[in-house]
């Protein structure tokens, strides 16, 4: 789809779909088809390539024995002919419900129509005949179909519940039709369709309303979409159906892989149209990685192979269609405060459980940790202290060391000491400047004699000295070294390899991204995990510039070196990391998503730790630049560091970079393919 504009959602594997709930009149197909045409035109104008209507929407669901009247049958046939003719000028695939007579039986059918062609007719498989339902009185089930084609409104079309409609101009868009009760049975037809490749599962429903039923439908549809790694579109009958004994709420739902993307207004007294942008590549990525899904396909391959595939050319708009789906700026950090607090608590408990189990397994009762006054070591120190609480050991068993070097600021040094005191750990300080200077002198480095040569050797001598001290301290005290580095730094290679901050006996932050570290610390403050004194210093640490503090600053009161100036804004690089690691998207798609999320600081949801004056916006050129930096570092230059990582607990579904877990990659790969795709498919502005 690279012939479409970069701004079009269809170029990047999204598809806009619509669920329509029209007003109907019982047994009045002429009226009903006009309502259908009107809503379909609205959907097409909104850029939707597929629009779903309720079960038996052209005739009404509540016609009862009128279904067996020839006059109603003729009126339905005329309405279908009107709809097929109108569809030539409506750029959306229509999926409508109507009764269809075939070989002396009446079938409750879903009919797919596109640009004057009846694509296929799917009869209902399971007819409810209990409580208020008596469908077997009027209809035959799909299993009673005798022929594989039927003539509808003068058009001969495939007929059966075994139809898959496959778009030949939009990758991964394959839809399947089922009707109401079909989705409620233990093994719904849509399940087999999903295994056969359907990504968009459609349910035309009538479904009267009773207390609690709407919640059950919502749960059913979202769980279907999760189980089948698919989208699920549901349209229920609304205003105008007979209320002789029942009522109707017109529930409209669009779900995707367990998420409710959109829902209409129930009991609406006017026609309504609900739209959502489906992420087809997300569904394809999840199916690709979920090996058990493929195993399930194998177990049913004979049945799946028998399904019929019908090619469809979707009416995709040539002009740009802007994405209306919300893309979270911070994919690792829920914007909703309640959900975020729940997430932070879960991550914290995973980290504590990981370290606690390691200490029990090794019979070790002490840990050694370097405390810099920055975010990562702060979170690791909190975890270490809470681990001692969990094990019933004194916090004094946490041997915490601040190790000032050539560029340590008074702010971070003071915060480190304040935090260690507030947590009640054993606090010590080792000045690494003498030993670092000696090493520089041994190397013949000019900085040993005061020359301002602040190169990578100068920086790594300090990082190496700190870690070397920590390991020897662990030897001396029978302790384990707790690593502090986070997921973002590992992805970017922003750590000193070997005897540096890359190494530890056990790491607790290794699968926690930088953007989430902040909120874990804020959660500890907000929930008073550590007391008021600790809360004050934690708040100070949250306001400190992220810095390795390895190059001296003229003003020693605050860090003078910025990590983000070198590796890029962590908020943006964490966004890139999430979509590349979790889904493996091509760079142009990641850039498209990033621009959608980050181009306007005034819109969208912001987590509350981001004050108004720090809400950044990034244009496409900036995104392209930093994404290129990320790709080079992630794919090509830093994998060798990740190949030798110490153990650490995985905390989230966003993935980890452990060579024993989520990420196994060669250390000598080239990033050329990624960089070339980025350069070729992402404009500079």
């Amino acid at each position: 789809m690279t012939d479409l504009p970069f701004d079009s959602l269809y170029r990047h594997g999204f598809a806009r779909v619509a669920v329509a709930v029209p007003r109907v009149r019982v047994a009045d197909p002429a009226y009903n088809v006009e309502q259908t045409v009107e809503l379909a035109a609205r959907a097409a104008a909104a850029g939707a390539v597929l629009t779903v209507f309720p079960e038996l929407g052209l005739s009404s669901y509540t016609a009862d024995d009128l279904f067996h009247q020839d006059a109603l049958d003729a009126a339905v046939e005329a309405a279908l002919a009107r709809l097929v003719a109108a569809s030539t000028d409506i750029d959306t695939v229509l999926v409508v419900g109507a009764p269809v007579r075939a070989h002396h039986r009446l079938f409750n059918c879903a009919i797919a129509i596109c640009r004057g062609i009846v694509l296929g007719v799917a009869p209902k498989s399971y007819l409810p005949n209990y409580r208020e339902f008596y469908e077997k009185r009027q209809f035959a089930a799909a299993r009673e179909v005798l022929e594989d084609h039927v003539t509808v409104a003068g058009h001969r079309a495939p007929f059966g519940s075994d139809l898959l409609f496959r778009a030949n101009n939009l990758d991964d868009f394959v839809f399947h039709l089922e009707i109401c009760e079909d989705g409620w049975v233990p093994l719904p037809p849509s399940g087999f369709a999903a295994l056969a490749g359907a990504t968009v599962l459609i349910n035309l429903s009538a479904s009267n309303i009773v207390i609690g039923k709407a919640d059950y439908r919502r749960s059913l549809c979202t769980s279907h979409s999760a189980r089948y790694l698919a989208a699920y579109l549901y349209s229920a009958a609304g205003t105008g159906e007979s209320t002789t004994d029942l009522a109707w709420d017109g529930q409209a739902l669009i779900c995707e892989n367990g998420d409710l993307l959109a829902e209409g207004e129930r009991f609406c007294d006017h026609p309504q149209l609900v739209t959502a942008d489906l992420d087809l590549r997300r569904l394809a990525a999840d199916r690709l990685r979920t090996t058990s899904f493929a195993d399930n396909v194998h177990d049913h391959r004979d049945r799946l192979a028998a399904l019929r595939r019908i090619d469809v050319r979707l009416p995709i708009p040539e002009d740009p269609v802007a994405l209306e789906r919300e893309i979270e700026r911070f994919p690792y950090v829920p914007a909703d405060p309640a959900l975020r607090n729940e997430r932070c608590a879960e991550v914290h408990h995973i980290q504590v459980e990981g370290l606690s189990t390691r200490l029990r397994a090794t019979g070790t009762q002490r840990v050694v940790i370097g405390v810099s006054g920055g975010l990562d070591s702060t979170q690791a120190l909190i975890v270490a202290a809470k681990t001692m609480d969990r094990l019933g050991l004194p916090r004094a068993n946490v041997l915490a060391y601040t190790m000032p070097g050539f560029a340590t600021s008074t702010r971070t040094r003071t915060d480190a000491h304040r935090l260690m005191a507030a947590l009640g750990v054993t606090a010590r300080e080792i000045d690494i400047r003498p030993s670092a200077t000696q090493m520089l002198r041994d190397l013949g480095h000019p900085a040993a004699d005061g020359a301002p040569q602040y190169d990578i050797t100068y920086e790594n001598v300090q990082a190496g000295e700190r870690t070397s001290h920590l390991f020897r301290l662990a030897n001396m005290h029978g302790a384990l070294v707790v690593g502090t580095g986070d997921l973002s730094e590992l992805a970017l290679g922003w750590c000193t390899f070997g005897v540096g901050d890359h190494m530890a006996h056990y790491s607790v932050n290794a699968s926690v991204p930088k953007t989430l570290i902040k909120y874990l610390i804020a959660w500890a403050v907000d929930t008073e995990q550590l007391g008021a004194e600790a809360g004050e210093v934690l708040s100070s640490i949250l306001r400190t510039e992220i810095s390795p503090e390895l190059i001296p600053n003229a003003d020693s009161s605050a860090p003078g070196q910025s990590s983000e100036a070198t590796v890029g804004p962590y908020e943006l690089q964490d966004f890139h990391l999430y979509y590349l690691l979790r889904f493996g998207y091509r760079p142009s798609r990641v850039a498209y998503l990033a621009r959608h999320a980050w181009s306007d600081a005034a819109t969208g949801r912001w987590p509350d730790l981001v004050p108004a004056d720090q809400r950044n916006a990034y244009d496409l050129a900036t995104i392209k630049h930093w994404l290129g930096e990320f790709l080079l570092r992630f794919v090509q230059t830093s994998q060798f560091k990740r190949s030798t990582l110490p153990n650490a607990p995985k905390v989230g579904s966003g993935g980890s970079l452990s060579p024993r877990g989520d990420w196994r990659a060669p250390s000598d790969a080239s990033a050329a393919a990624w960089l070339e795709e980025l350069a070729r498919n992402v404009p500079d502005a």
Side-chain angles (χ1 to χ4, degrees):
M1 303 298 292
T2 54
D3 55 329
L4 292 173
F6 183 81
D7 291 338
S8 176
L9 64 91
Y10 289 101
R11 173 170 174 160
H12 301 282
F14 290 93
R16 183 162 299 162
V17 296
V19 173
V21 182
R23 291 182 63 91
V24 298
R25 290 179 182 169
V26 178
D28 190 349
Y31 174 85
N32 296 338
V33 73
E34 293 306 322
Q35 300 299 305
T36 300
V37 168
E38 181 180 333
L39 278 176
R42 282 176 51 191
V49 290
L50 183 143
T51 307
V52 179
F53 291 84
E55 176 182 10
L56 294 172
L58 291 185
S59 58
S60 75
Y61 177 79
T62 50
D64 291 336
D65 286 351
L66 297 180
F67 282 120
H68 289 167
Q69 293 288 311
D70 292 345
L72 181 58
D73 176 63
V76 168
E77 187 77 1
L80 281 168
R82 163 79 178 94
L83 186 60
V84 172
S87 71
T88 59
D89 298 318
I90 300 175
D91 287 334
T92 187
V93 174
L94 294 161
V95 179
V96 299
V100 173
R101 292 190 183 188
H103 31 266
H104 307 295
R105 289 172 176 81
L106 184 65
F107 296 90
N108 178 348
C109 293
I111 305 172
I113 300 168
C114 182
R115 287 175 169 167
I117 298 173
V118 178
L119 301 172
V121 181
K124 190 171 184 176
S125 294
Y126 298 97
L127 306 177
N129 226 57
Y130 55 89
R131 299 193 186 99
E132 63 265 43
F133 302 110
Y134 297 92
E135 288 190 26
K136 290 184 179 180
R137 180 181 175 93
Q138 284 93 29
F139 297 105
R143 68 184 67 89
E144 298 180 56
V145 168
L146 299 178
E147 298 178 10
D148 61 7
H149 281 71
V150 68
T151 299
V152 173
H155 295 256
R156 186 163 175 79
F159 185 41
S161 60
D162 59 343
L163 306 180
L164 294 180
F165 301 88
R166 179 175 53 196
N168 56 22
N169 60 337
L170 183 59
D171 290 344
D172 303 314
F173 193 100
V174 181
F175 67 92
H176 172 267
L177 311 177
E178 66 184 10
I179 302 173
C180 201
E181 188 78 4
D182 293 348
W184 295 63
V185 299
L187 295 174
S190 56
F192 294 102
L195 293 176
T199 52
V200 182
L201 310 177
I202 296 169
N203 188 301
L204 291 74
S205 179
S207 191
N208 64 297
I209 187 61
V210 293
I211 293 172
K213 195 173 185 179
D215 290 338
Y216 188 86
R217 289 193 206 117
R218 192 180 299 112
S219 175
L220 189 70
C221 293
T222 54
S223 62
H224 272 8
S225 71
R227 179 183 297 274
Y228 302 132
L229 301 177
Y232 200 86
L233 281 56
Y234 180 90
S235 180
T239 300
E241 289 285 359
S242 173
T243 56
T244 300
D245 290 301
L246 304 172
W248 314 86
D249 65 338
Q251 191 169 24
L253 303 167
I254 302 177
C255 309
E256 178 191 286
N257 199 4
D259 296 327
L260 179 62
L261 298 186
E263 180 172 3
E265 178 186 353
R266 296 171 54 229
F267 301 106
C268 187
D269 62 358
H270 56 79
Q272 64 171 320
L273 188 72
V274 178
T275 62
D277 296 341
L278 304 181
D279 191 342
L280 300 172
R281 289 189 186 163
R282 178 197 179 195
L283 298 174
D286 280 342
R287 288 186 177 186
L288 181 68
R289 287 160 174 75
T290 308
T291 56
S292 53
F293 189 92
D295 290 342
N296 208 207
V297 171
H298 180 272
D299 290 346
H300 299 280
R301 60 191 182 281
D302 291 340
R303 176 168 180 169
L304 305 182
L307 297 180
R308 287 179 283 170
R309 277 74 173 173
I310 299 167
D311 281 345
V312 180
R313 186 166 184 81
L314 297 177
I316 295 173
E318 295 182 357
D319 295 330
V321 179
L323 186 66
E324 294 181 352
R325 180 179 176 126
E326 184 168 10
I327 304 297
E328 295 287 359
R329 296 180 176 94
F330 296 83
Y332 293 105
V333 182
D336 176 71
L339 180 58
R340 185 169 64 246
N341 284 342
E342 181 181 326
R343 179 77 53 81
C344 287
E346 187 82 356
V347 171
H348 172 81
H349 291 311
I350 291 171
Q351 291 179 290
V352 170
E353 172 65 20
L355 183 55
S356 298
T357 300
R358 180 51 53 92
L359 291 176
R360 286 194 189 100
T362 58
T364 306
Q365 295 190 346
R366 295 183 181 87
V367 298
V368 169
I369 183 170
V371 182
S372 68
L375 292 172
D376 293 344
S377 66
T378 294
Q379 176 60 20
L381 183 60
I382 291 171
V383 171
K386 284 293 190 177
T387 295
M388 293 304 162
D389 295 347
R390 178 180 176 86
L391 294 174
L393 298 171
R395 288 188 181 179
N397 285 16
V398 177
L399 311 180
Y401 293 84
T402 181
M403 292 178 283
F406 301 130
T408 301
S409 66
T410 56
R411 173 170 184 159
T412 55
R413 184 178 179 182
T414 299
D415 281 346
H417 280 286
R418 290 174 61 203
L419 180 62
M420 292 187 293
L423 294 182
V425 301
T426 299
R428 297 285 187 271
E429 179 170 291
I430 298 175
D431 188 343
I432 66 162
R433 287 173 292 184
S435 57
T437 300
Q438 181 60 50
M439 179 171 282
L440 289 170
R441 186 171 291 115
D442 293 343
L443 297 174
H445 193 279
D449 297 320
Q453 183 169 317
Y454 305 136
D455 54 16
I456 191 169
T457 303
Y458 179 86
E459 294 189 36
N460 284 349
V461 160
Q462 297 171 76
E465 280 298 308
R466 289 189 173 110
T467 305
S468 180
H469 278 76
L470 292 175
F471 273 100
R472 301 297 74 79
L473 286 164
N475 294 156
M476 190 166 70
H477 294 289
L480 294 184
V481 176
V482 175
T484 63
D486 65 46
L487 181 69
S488 308
E489 293 178 344
L490 291 172
L492 292 160
W494 193 239
C495 54
T496 302
F497 183 67
V499 185
D501 56 333
H502 161 266
M503 191 48 62
H505 287 123
Y506 193 77
S507 295
V508 293
N509 293 335
S511 65
V512 186
K514 186 77 77 178
T515 48
L516 183 55
I517 292 278
K518 288 185 177 182
Y519 288 90
L520 286 165
I521 296 171
W523 169 82
V525 175
D526 294 342
T527 57
E528 300 181 345
Q529 295 286 314
L530 304 163
E533 184 180 353
E536 290 180 10
V537 65
L538 291 175
S539 297
S540 174
I541 291 169
L542 286 170
R543 297 190 298 269
T544 303
E545 171 80 20
I546 299 172
S547 172
E549 291 197 308
L550 296 172
I551 296 178
N553 183 25
D555 178 8
S556 62
S557 65
Q561 189 179 8
S562 170
S563 297
E564 293 178 296
T566 301
V567 299
Y570 279 114
E571 59 188 9
L572 189 59
Q573 300 296 44
D574 278 359
F575 185 95
H576 297 153
L577 170 63
Y578 177 80
Y579 285 104
L580 284 157
L581 178 61
R582 173 69 175 80
F583 300 106
Y585 292 156
R586 64 185 63 186
S588 60
R589 188 172 208 254
V590 176
Y592 172 76
L593 295 173
R595 184 172 71 164
H596 181 73
W598 286 98
S599 63
D600 189 349
T603 62
R605 299 185 296 175
W606 287 91
D608 49 23
L609 268 189
V610 185
D613 61 349
Q614 294 179 24
R615 295 178 178 179
N616 299 312
Y618 301 102
D619 60 22
L620 188 58
T622 302
I623 290 168
K624 184 177 181 179
H625 168 74
W626 287 121
L627 179 53
E629 178 73 19
F630 180 90
L631 292 169
L632 183 63
R633 287 175 168 271
F634 182 69
V635 176
Q636 184 166 316
T637 66
S638 61
Q639 177 58 35
F640 74 97
K641 297 181 181 181
R642 298 188 291 269
S643 296
T644 57
L645 286 178
N647 294 174
K650 177 181 175 180
V651 303
S653 60
S656 79
L657 291 173
S658 168
R660 300 165 296 275
D662 284 17
W663 187 249
R664 307 179 189 196
S667 297
D668 46 10
S670 168
W674 286 261
L675 295 171
E676 192 275 332
E677 200 279 339
L678 178 71
R680 184 179 70 251
N681 291 320
V682 178
D684 293 326

